[in-house]
Amino acid sequence: LANLLVRSETQNLEYLRAFIRSGFRLVDGESHEPDNNGIMRYYLNNLVGFVEDGKLVRVWGTQRDISERKQTEGRLAILGHALKSVTEGVNLTDLDDNILFLNEAFQQIYGYTEQELIGQPITTVRSKRHSPELSETIGEETLRGGWRGELWQRRKDGTEFLVSLST
């Protein structure tokens, strides 16, 4: 096994310990090692060990390179942190205009908690001054590259206020 994993990486040693503790059957064990250029690569491994006379004699397994996924997860974590810390109200909706995310500033401005709005339609915070067609227009323009304009919104307590919206 030392030929397969870099022993100096503590995470790899823990991976081997998990393989032993699991009775030499490990599913989706994560390991990492530098490639030929010294760039760290991450892998998900499935291993089955063959024991004869109380000794591990063979290991069979598969390895999937998840390096790109790990990089994407890292970027998403940074982006999520940035969105949460912005002082302007930020929300994200799906293609059906249901709220997927809202930052703390949005919650403070609108008076809702995350639990109250996640999964709800964005029209929950939209003023009744606007027609339903406006939401469709905003959605269509967003998919074409973005919409900008002023829009009346509604807080939880019912008060309305004007916002400058960019999608």
Side-chain angles (χ1 to χ4, degrees), residues 73-122:
E73 287 172 353
R75 286 188 203 113
L76 286 174
I78 291 168
L79 178 60
H81 178 70
L83 285 174
K84 286 181 181 180
S85 62
V86 170
T87 57
E88 289 81 20
V90 176
N91 75 80
L92 301 174
T93 61
D94 62 17
L95 293 175
D96 294 321
D97 270 347
N98 295 314
I99 299 170
L100 299 173
F101 168 86
L102 43 100
N103 69 353
E104 198 149 316
F106 188 97
Q107 294 173 59
Q108 290 174 355
I109 293 166
Y110 287 81
Y112 286 95
T113 65
E114 203 173 31
Q115 294 80 12
E116 291 173 308
L117 285 181
I118 298 295
Q120 297 301 312
I122 193 66

Side-chain angles (χ1 to χ4, degrees), residues 129-142:
R129 298 179 191 205
H130 301 296
S131 68
E133 290 78 31
L134 178 62
S135 288
E136 287 180 36
T137 300
I138 292 171
E140 290 167 4
E141 292 297 319
T142 298

Side-chain angles (χ1 to χ4, degrees), residues 67-79:
S67 302
E68 190 174 317
R69 184 184 92 188
K70 293 292 273 186
Q71 290 171 347
T72 301
E73 287 172 353
R75 286 188 203 113
L76 286 174
I78 291 168
L79 178 60

Side-chain angles (χ1 to χ4, degrees), residues 2 15 23 26-27 42-43 46 54 70 82 88 105 115 152 162-163 165-166:
Y15 166 77
L26 191 61
V27 176
Y42 294 85
Y43 301 95
N46 295 320
K70 293 292 273 186
E88 289 81 20
Q115 294 80 12
W152 285 95
L162 196 59
V163 298
L165 181 66
S166 298

Side-chain angles (χ1 to χ4, degrees), residues 97 99 120-128 131-132 135 153-154:
D97 270 347
I99 299 170
Q120 297 301 312
I122 193 66
T123 54
T124 303
V125 297
R126 215 134 294 140
S127 169
K128 302 287 187 214
S131 68
S135 288
Q153 299 285 63
R154 186 176 62 250

